[in-house]
Amino acid sequence: MNVVTRFAPAPTGRLHVGNIRTAIHNWLWARKHQGRFLLRFDDTDRERSTEDSVHAIRADLAWLGLQPDEEHRQSARFDRYDAALEQLRAAGRVYPAYETAQELDLKRKVQLSRGKPPVYDRAALSLTEEERARLEAEGRRPHWRFRLDHGAPIAWTDMIRGPQHFDPALLSDPVIRREDGSWLYMLPSTIDDIDMDVTHVVRGEDHVTNTALQIQMFEALGATPPDFAHEALLVGSEGKLSKRLGSLGVDAMREDGIESAAILAKLARLGTSLPVEAIVDPAPLIETFDFATFGRAPARFDLDELKALNARIIHLLPFAAIADRLPEGMGEEDWAAIRPNLKSIAEAADWWSILHGHVEAIAEEQERPFLQAAAVAAGALDWAEAPWPQLVAALKAETGRTGKTLFLPLRRALTGRDSGPEMAALLPLIGRDETIARLSAAAGA
Ligand code: GLU
């Protein structure tokens, strides 16, 4: 089978954690099977869809490395949807209905008060020609419903949720087109999946009931439904995905110093039985991706965990992979020295200026003699060999200091900070003359 998946966002805002995850899973499945991954803009809602969102979604996907093989837009396909509606109408599978939102609301309330499920009563189906003509003469415009076939249960085996059953008689005939001619999501999406040969629909479990309805639409249009995978939704650390986290955009994460590789590594496996690991190259993520590993319980998304993973990934990034994002002049050795200490690539610039710029030393009065001794010792080292162990050994012998009392004043004088990368890696990069100068300055010499 030639696998085709699609990611179908409505371009009404930026991508956020939840839909990025869906995009990643669709992409992984297509890549795993050497199939195609489609980007389809669900932009039938002309009021809410914006070109800015279209551009932003494309850019975010590109940054994440999820390059679509094809791009489609629903707004370019209205003729096709009109034709399909005609086909379904001729087959008696769609019908016009005239109830106002208030009338429908009232019907629902009455049903609920009688302890009945609020399912549309199909009153519009029994309207006579004259009644319809009268309603239209009153100025009412119809909306359109898809008539469900109540003949047999709707069933499919979900790739994540297993066997699913729905009794169509307990579902309302879905509205597919509004009075003003605009389309609801349900039918165009089905038509697209048919025309674009989509083989696997991967989306959130909030779409499960839609799937039951759409399966009948596929069949009414003479197509075999694709396979479906409905993934459990994400929740935040406190039990539900807070508004902030739910709308956390790729752009915000990027500005926060999160690498695309970290987002990929995290969201590819979050909610599965596979371990979330610091994986830089997506190949192993693609290879191991499998819907059978997905759990049914909501997956917990924690921003701090993502940040921790991000740091672990940065510590693995080879110089060549990020050289163009590092400060001008920063070399492979510099990168190797400071990489283990970074939480974001942007912090590399801070350490770069610590290595090669001016450092405001932190030095206490009483450390001056010690630092003066250090400056002298630094001048006597063999700088062609690892200088830090030599410096430490010399000062230990001379002053009897050990541990923190030995290391901390040196670190503060040489970097202006209390913590950071290994001094053993930094010292050769700071170099002999600058080391002596910094120690002497801190000693007040
Ligand atoms: N635009 C829909 C959404 O973002 C697409 C759902 C689907 O994948 O079919 O929820």
Side-chain angles (χ1 to χ4, degrees), residues 6 8-10 22 40 42 185 189 193 201-203 206-207 214:
R6 87 295 192 277
T22 306
R40 189 168 76 216
D42 276 6
Y185 144 80
S189 173
D193 288 341
V201 169
V202 180
R203 56 189 178 191
D206 49 333
H207 283 289
Q214 288 180 321

Side-chain angles (χ1 to χ4, degrees), residues 111 123 232 357 379 394:
Q111 286 167 313

Side-chain angles (χ1 to χ4, degrees), residues 408-429:
L408 193 58
L410 296 174
R411 178 180 282 284
R412 289 175 148 193
L414 290 165
T415 68
R417 299 204 179 182
D418 282 346
S419 62
E422 293 289 337
M423 287 305 300
L426 292 183
L427 205 61
L429 301 175

Side-chain angles (χ1 to χ4, degrees), residues 7 9 15 23 37 39 56-68:
F7 173 52
L15 295 185
F37 166 65
L39 168 60
I57 290 171
R58 280 188 197 133
D60 286 347
L61 289 178
W63 180 72
L64 287 163
L66 311 180
Q67 211 57 56

Side-chain angles (χ1 to χ4, degrees), residues 90-398:
R93 293 305 297 272
V94 296
Y95 60 93
Y98 295 84
E99 292 92 344
T100 63
Q102 290 88 333
E103 285 165 352
L104 290 171
D105 199 40
L106 189 64
K107 282 188 192 203
R108 274 193 293 270
K109 284 188 176 133
V110 171
Q111 286 167 313
L112 287 169
S113 71
R114 293 185 184 147
K116 289 191 182 157
V119 175
Y120 177 60
D121 62 8
R122 294 186 158 176
L125 265 184
S126 40
L127 289 175
T128 62
E129 279 299 329
E130 295 79 62
E131 284 168 324
R132 270 210 290 274
R134 187 173 46 74
L135 285 165
E136 300 218 2
E138 279 173 15
R140 290 216 192 182
R141 308 263 304 123
H143 55 272
W144 295 84
R145 287 188 185 263
F146 177 78
R147 189 170 63 75
L148 291 169
D149 177 359
H150 289 182
I154 304 167
W156 77 94
T157 302
D158 196 276
M159 288 188 288
I160 294 174
R161 297 165 60 85
Q164 304 290 301
H165 296 273
F166 280 83
D167 178 354
L170 297 178
L171 300 171
S172 295
D173 288 339
V175 176
I176 51 174
R177 196 174 197 179
R178 301 187 189 87
E179 291 78 10
D180 64 3
S182 63
W183 292 95
L184 282 108
Y185 144 80
M186 210 80 68
L187 185 64
S189 173
T190 307
I191 297 167
D192 292 347
D193 288 341
I194 295 171
D195 291 355
M196 296 165 196
D197 300 317
V198 170
T199 57
H200 296 81
V201 169
V202 180
R203 56 189 178 191
E205 68 181 9
D206 49 333
H207 283 289
V208 170
T209 310
N210 290 342
T211 295
L213 305 170
Q214 288 180 321
I215 282 178
Q216 284 216 351
M217 294 180 191
F218 278 103
E219 287 165 350
L221 289 165
T224 306
D227 286 332
F228 292 92
H230 291 94
E231 40 195 32
L233 301 181
L234 290 182
V235 293
S237 349
E238 314 81 25
K240 64 179 195 331
L241 201 58
S242 65
K243 217 165 171 173
R244 187 183 69 85
L245 220 51
S247 60
L248 188 66
V250 177
D251 50 333
M253 291 197 263
R254 184 170 45 207
E255 275 154 33
D256 216 10
I258 311 252
E259 298 296 304
S260 58
I263 297 177
L264 222 61
K266 178 80 182 172
L267 295 179
R269 291 184 170 182
L270 184 63
T272 75
S273 56
L274 298 169
V276 173
E277 292 168 330
I279 294 175
V280 176
D281 168 14
L285 297 174
I286 295 170
E287 207 172 299
T288 55
F289 185 75
D290 186 352
F291 290 110
T293 64
F294 278 64
R296 293 281 305 270
R300 202 175 57 83
F301 177 79
D302 184 313
L303 193 54
D304 290 333
E305 282 174 20
L306 177 63
K307 287 183 177 168
L309 179 69
N310 190 53
R312 279 160 56 212
I313 283 190
I314 288 173
H315 305 164
L316 294 171
L317 289 177
F319 177 70
I322 38 93
D324 56 347
R325 293 167 56 201
L326 296 177
E328 184 77 36
M330 190 162 165
E332 190 154 4
E333 222 187 317
D334 304 301
W335 173 244
I338 65 167
R339 180 177 80 162
N341 212 255
L342 300 181
K343 293 197 182 69
S344 72
I345 302 287
E347 286 176 359
D350 302 343
W351 284 103
W352 179 246
S353 60
I354 287 173
L355 289 178
H356 300 292
H358 173 73
V359 162
E360 204 60 59
I362 317 172
E364 290 153 35
E365 191 71 38
Q366 73 270 23
E367 298 293 357
R368 287 185 168 182
F370 173 70
L371 294 168
Q372 183 53 49
V376 174
L381 304 177
D382 174 4
W383 282 80
E385 291 296 322
W388 178 253
Q390 297 175 55
L391 179 65
V392 165
L395 287 171
K396 198 171 167 180
E398 188 178 335

